[in-house]
Amino acid sequence: MKTITGGVCAAKGFSAAGVHCGIRKNTQKNDLSLIYSDTPCTAAAVYTTNLVKGAPLTVTKEHLLDGHARAVIVNSGNANTCNADGIDIARQMASLAADALGIDSTDVVVASTGVIGQPLDIAPIRDGIPLLCDRLSRQGAHEAALGIMTTDTVSKEVAVEFTLGDAVCRIGGCAKGSGMIHPNMATMLVFLTTDVAISAEMLHKALSTDITNTFNMLSIDGDTSTNDMVTLLASGAAENPCITEEGEYFDTFMRALNTVNIALCRMIAGDGEGATKLLECSVSGAKDETIAKAVAKSVICSSLLKAAMFGADANWGRVLCAIGYAGVPLDVSKIDVSFKSPAGEIAVCHSGAGVDFSEQRAKEILLEDEIEILVKLNDGDASASAWGCDLTYDYVKINGDYRT
Amino acid sequence: MKTITGGVCAAKGFSAAGVHCGIRKNTQKNDLSLIYSDTPCTAAAVYTTNLVKGAPLTVTKEHLLDGHARAVIVNSGNANTCNADGIDIARQMASLAADALGIDSTDVVVASTGVIGQPLDIAPIRDGIPLLCDRLSRQGAHEAALGIMTTDTVSKEVAVEFTLGDAVCRIGGCAKGSGMIHPNMATMLVFLTTDVAISAEMLHKALSTDITNTFNMLSIDGDTSTNDMVTLLASGAAENPCITEEGEYFDTFMRALNTVNIALCRMIAGDGEGATKLLECSVSGAKDETIAKAVAKSVICSSLLKAAMFGADANWGRVLCAIGYAGVPLDVSKIDVSFKSPAGEIAVCHSGAGVDFSEQRAKEILLEDEIEILVKLNDGDASASAWGCDLTYDYVKINGDYRT
């Protein structure tokens, strides 16, 4: 498997575009994106568990009931959530895109991200769709990725190439963060495309299994959004023997999907609102996977630890504290903790108690941009990872006055 | 019932003191406190649910097994948690205090607060206890309250007076915040005293019931501490007929206890680390109390809402979002939300959708120091309140480098 360029258009048969249509005031920022497949695709999606759901999710769910889709229309700058006319507006977005593309509106995935509770005007979207369709191309992946950004500082794109038998296959995608992100079913916007031939049933199985180890193990701020979703469209253009059951090909596909999704998780976490550091908590030696995941998530979600990491402070007591309230049974007296980064690794806690360590060396390690918090439970063979970021002044600044 | 002065010494029979003994480097800050009753007391306590528990909690639990105690010794500056010799040090603290007071060491409550995972030197405590005992007096409540502070900016003391039949009774107490505080059994240090005569069994029942509506509904940062506890000592000096069962007297006692605890909750929330505002979320019209509590807590814990409140931004979508991920069943389309403060009240959401409101008026209301977030679920008769604070630059600053 190798990493390639091309993002959401890396897979055969996909094109994309992004434009500024006028939802955002800043004309330098794209706010409307389109992803399109030359041919019908099988499609799968997972959605937020928040009971307050954006209108686009309701419409997308309806459209994906048959397991097929061919296009994604998505805007930033307004979440189209908690609006009386939200469903109608989301349906209009799908219809306008479908009409312009000459496809059925039920083959369109609709998504929105931005402020909650402000009516979304369909006019700029209606006016923007012709330009968006004109610009559709295999080179449009980056513009599309820019169009879904909110407080993200960089676009998030990835793609990999692998083989299934003789067929060369690809999976790629783009994502947006960067606040209101917390482990739970589908907690941001992620649009994935592949040219693998795979049944809708197996596609759903692959996606819903993989997110439990990837996007559901990601937290920026503990807030599970109302609007977020992960979609995966498979065009079949790679012409591999269609995957319709578990087996070697399905396993290879799962590994490729996992590679793409972990890469996106790391990009989202590293670009969390106000973040200066990517944090990864790697838990090993757990009695079972549930325990490993609960511990990894609990550490990554601790405001106190996140603030300590911002300050490059090796305050391992906060790691132990977060492990202790993870809500799973474990033996505190067996726990080892160390901090690791490109600058090296330092052990700070052994068997649940502090060890002597050089504060200066710890500081050197924690001043890096990517920090791994290694937790060994020494109680079994299960492991898990979770991704997050530090808590900074800028997170507060960004969210102290988001709407203006 | 009336509010009186005297804090933890307001109830008959109690004296207290606080000194600087040398655990903290800053000689201007008290770091060792003692609370003492002239006579044996019935005693009750609740403790953190964190699996990583401070050594003092283990020792206190042992000492309160018989439902009696007579003194509290507590230090700040070091949590005595995750230390190999922690239990031994905590026992020594109890013994040294007991010897100086001429009581049994099993009648001493031990508590510690501060950094986790650094050995606690018993020497300054041993050296400080004689001075502490010398200074014991009914006027010592404030010095004792100062001695338990960590990042608190103000001491937290309260007392009320009420009658049980002909007997004039009092409950008072002191508390410390102000980080690592999150709804869960006993999430800070709170020392309560009363002169009511009440059995150990009923005292435990009163305390463990009340905290579900008070301290467990309080969150500063979502981090459940390893060390925190609430203790309640009852001297019986008020000479009321001893409360040994439920009934009118027990109900009156519960009301007084609730008044004291809510006052302390508000003080702790308003002085949360870095806080500029006290937030109270009042949920009404819930189908049951579980739902009301879950919604109130979820709103109070949302980092995004907390940051918006810091910025006086009426971003009610974040209230709806937090309600939506509270994990309880509810009908979003029935929800009304308004913001209230001493400057007035403004409705921002009706039946799950936004209403037109003046941003300027909302700003005036949200610029106040105490903000109430009113959530009406319009789905039943149950209600609940939760307390918290805004998320500020100073929270990050305080916790970015807490240990140095």
Side-chain angles (χ1 to χ4, degrees):
Chain A
M1 192 179 333
K2 64 173 184 184
T3 302
I4 57 172
T5 58
V8 78
C9 296
K12 268 193 213 167
F14 290 93
S15 54
V19 300
H20 172 82
C21 74
I23 300 168
R24 292 174 172 283
K25 288 171 196 160
N26 182 346
T27 57
Q28 303 301 307
K29 272 193 160 179
N30 286 359
D31 53 16
L32 190 65
S33 297
L34 184 65
I35 303 163
Y36 177 65
S37 167
D38 296 342
T39 54
C41 294
T42 54
V46 286
Y47 307 93
T48 185
T49 54
N50 198 312
L51 290 182
V52 179
K53 284 189 209 307
L57 278 71
T58 305
V59 174
T60 295
K61 271 189 189 173
E62 288 172 10
H63 291 184
L64 293 189
L65 275 181
D66 66 356
H68 289 82
R70 207 169 149 178
V72 177
I73 180 93
V74 48
N75 72 278
S76 59
N78 187 311
N80 191 19
T81 298
C82 296
N83 297 326
D85 65 350
I87 300 276
D88 180 51
I89 295 288
R91 290 221 171 93
Q92 287 189 51
M93 279 178 69
S95 294
L96 289 165
D99 290 350
L101 295 165
I103 63 175
D104 195 294
S105 74
T106 63
D107 282 335
V108 179
V109 166
V110 190
S112 298
T113 179
V115 185
I116 298 172
Q118 294 186 359
L120 174 59
D121 185 4
I122 194 69
I125 297 171
R126 186 195 304 118
D127 297 346
I129 282 179
L131 178 62
L132 200 59
C133 291
D134 277 354
R135 296 222 179 141
L136 267 183
S137 84
R138 290 207 66 182
Q139 282 70 48
H142 183 59
E143 288 295 325
L146 292 175
I148 63 174
M149 287 166 58
T150 54
T151 49
D152 307 65
T153 64
V154 291
S155 68
K156 293 155 186 79
E157 300 172 71
V158 67
V160 299
E161 191 173 278
F162 56 103
T163 54
L164 294 178
D166 296 332
V168 178
C169 304
R170 295 151 205 96
I171 302 182
C174 59
K176 64 133 312 215
S178 66
M180 213 181 260
I181 288 181
H182 180 63
N184 228 317
M185 187 72 68
T187 52
M188 68 249 91
L189 292 186
V190 180
F191 304 111
L192 303 167
T193 54
T194 181
D195 42 25
V196 167
I198 179 169
S199 70
E201 188 192 349
M202 294 311 289
L203 195 68
H204 176 74
K205 185 169 195 167
L207 183 62
S208 58
T209 304
D210 187 72
I211 61 151
T212 64
N213 298 313
T214 55
F215 299 118
N216 281 3
M217 297 302 287
L218 171 66
S219 182
I220 302 297
D221 54 13
D223 280 274
T224 302
S225 167
T226 56
N227 274 53
D228 297 351
M229 61 169 109
V230 181
T231 67
L232 171 52
L233 269 57
S235 71
E239 298 185 342
N240 58 292
C242 186
I243 300 171
T244 56
E245 58 184 18
E246 293 198 32
E248 191 192 330
Y249 284 5
F250 183 72
D251 292 345
T252 303
F253 179 72
M254 285 290 288
R255 276 196 298 277
L257 181 62
N258 187 250
T259 302
V260 165
N261 287 349
I262 284 183
L264 290 174
C265 277
R266 293 175 62 93
M267 289 181 201
I268 293 170
D271 190 35
E273 282 180 341
T276 68
K277 288 176 201 302
L278 164 66
L279 305 182
E280 177 168 357
C281 180
S282 302
V283 175
S284 61
K287 202 175 280 175
D288 59 43
E289 197 184 326
T290 304
I291 291 173
K293 284 183 169 176
V295 168
K297 274 192 194 177
S298 191
V299 170
I300 262 331
C301 292
S302 161
S303 292
L304 286 167
L305 177 70
K306 287 152 63 84
M309 291 297 101
F310 172 56
D313 179 13
N315 198 334
W316 61 269
R318 293 181 178 171
V319 178
L320 265 275
C321 177
I323 295 171
Y325 64 68
V328 287
L330 42 81
D331 183 346
V332 177
S333 72
K334 290 182 177 175
I335 299 172
D336 300 334
V337 177
S338 63
F339 294 115
K340 188 179 172 184
S341 79
E345 181 174 345
I346 192 163
V348 289
C349 169
H350 180 68
S351 300
V355 295
D356 277 336
F357 64 89
S358 157
E359 289 283 351
Q360 194 192 330
R361 181 79 187 108
K363 195 70 141 185
E364 282 166 19
I365 288 167
L366 295 179
L367 281 172
E368 295 284 327
D369 292 344
E370 297 193 4
I371 308 296
E372 196 174 2
I373 302 143
L374 298 164
V375 176
K376 290 182 188 163
L377 298 178
N378 296 308
D379 201 28
D381 296 322
S383 61
S385 292
W387 298 272
C389 61
D390 54 345
L391 175 62
T392 71
Y393 298 127
D394 278 352
Y395 178 86
V396 177
K397 187 173 183 183
I398 291 165
N399 288 298
D401 202 2
Y402 175 68
R403 297 183 311 152
T404 53
Chain B
M1 193 179 330
K2 64 174 184 183
T3 302
I4 58 172
T5 59
V8 79
C9 296
K12 268 192 212 167
F14 290 93
S15 53
V19 299
H20 172 82
C21 75
I23 300 168
R24 291 174 172 284
K25 289 170 194 160
N26 182 346
T27 57
Q28 303 301 307
K29 272 192 158 179
N30 287 358
D31 53 16
L32 190 65
S33 296
L34 184 65
I35 302 163
Y36 177 66
S37 167
D38 296 343
T39 55
C41 293
T42 54
V46 285
Y47 308 93
T48 185
T49 53
N50 198 312
L51 290 183
V52 179
K53 285 188 208 306
L57 278 71
T58 305
V59 174
T60 296
K61 270 188 189 174
E62 289 172 9
H63 290 184
L64 293 190
L65 275 180
D66 65 356
H68 289 83
R70 207 169 149 178
V72 177
I73 179 93
V74 50
N75 73 278
S76 59
N78 187 311
N80 191 19
T81 298
C82 297
N83 297 327
D85 65 350
I87 300 276
D88 181 51
I89 295 289
R91 290 221 171 93
Q92 286 189 51
M93 278 177 70
S95 295
L96 288 164
D99 290 350
L101 295 165
I103 63 176
D104 195 294
S105 74
T106 63
D107 282 335
V108 179
V109 166
V110 190
S112 297
T113 179
V115 185
I116 297 172
Q118 294 186 358
L120 173 60
D121 184 5
I122 194 69
I125 296 172
R126 186 194 305 118
D127 298 345
I129 281 179
L131 178 61
L132 200 59
C133 291
D134 278 355
R135 295 224 180 139
L136 266 184
S137 85
R138 289 208 65 182
Q139 282 70 48
H142 183 60
E143 288 295 325
L146 292 175
I148 63 175
M149 287 166 58
T150 53
T151 49
D152 307 66
T153 64
V154 292
S155 68
K156 294 156 185 77
E157 301 174 70
V158 67
V160 298
E161 190 172 276
F162 56 103
T163 54
L164 293 177
D166 295 334
V168 178
C169 304
R170 294 150 207 97
I171 302 182
C174 59
K176 67 128 316 213
S178 64
M180 214 181 261
I181 288 181
H182 181 62
N184 228 319
M185 188 72 69
T187 52
M188 68 249 90
L189 292 186
V190 180
F191 304 110
L192 302 167
T193 55
T194 181
D195 42 26
V196 166
I198 180 169
S199 69
E201 187 191 351
M202 295 310 289
L203 194 67
H204 176 73
K205 185 169 194 167
L207 183 62
S208 58
T209 303
D210 187 70
I211 62 150
T212 64
N213 299 313
T214 55
F215 299 118
N216 281 3
M217 297 301 289
L218 170 66
S219 181
I220 302 298
D221 54 13
D223 279 275
T224 302
S225 167
T226 56
N227 273 54
D228 296 351
M229 60 168 110
V230 181
T231 67
L232 171 53
L233 269 58
S235 71
E239 297 185 345
N240 58 293
C242 187
I243 299 171
T244 56
E245 58 186 17
E246 293 198 32
E248 190 192 333
Y249 284 6
F250 183 72
D251 292 345
T252 301
F253 179 72
M254 284 290 289
R255 277 196 298 277
L257 181 63
N258 186 251
T259 302
V260 165
N261 287 350
I262 284 184
L264 290 173
C265 276
R266 294 176 62 93
M267 288 180 201
I268 293 170
D271 191 35
E273 282 180 341
T276 68
K277 290 177 200 302
L278 165 67
L279 305 182
E280 177 168 356
C281 180
S282 302
V283 175
S284 61
K287 202 176 279 174
D288 60 44
E289 197 183 327
T290 304
I291 291 173
K293 284 183 170 176
V295 168
K297 273 191 193 178
S298 191
V299 170
I300 268 316
C301 291
S302 161
S303 292
L304 285 167
L305 178 70
K306 288 153 62 85
M309 292 296 101
F310 172 55
D313 179 13
N315 198 333
W316 61 268
R318 293 180 177 172
V319 178
L320 265 276
C321 177
I323 294 170
Y325 63 67
V328 287
L330 43 81
D331 183 347
V332 177
S333 72
K334 290 182 177 173
I335 299 173
D336 300 334
V337 178
S338 62
F339 294 116
K340 188 178 172 185
S341 80
E345 181 175 344
I346 192 162
V348 288
C349 168
H350 181 67
S351 299
V355 295
D356 277 334
F357 64 89
S358 156
E359 289 283 351
Q360 193 192 330
R361 181 79 187 107
K363 196 69 138 184
E364 283 167 20
I365 288 168
L366 294 179
L367 281 171
E368 295 283 327
D369 292 345
E370 297 193 3
I371 309 295
E372 196 173 1
I373 302 143
L374 298 164
V375 176
K376 289 182 189 163
L377 298 178
N378 296 308
D379 201 29
D381 296 323
S383 61
S385 292
W387 297 272
C389 61
D390 54 347
L391 175 61
T392 70
Y393 298 126
D394 279 352
Y395 177 85
V396 177
K397 186 173 183 181
I398 291 165
N399 288 298
D401 202 2
Y402 176 68
R403 295 182 312 153
T404 54

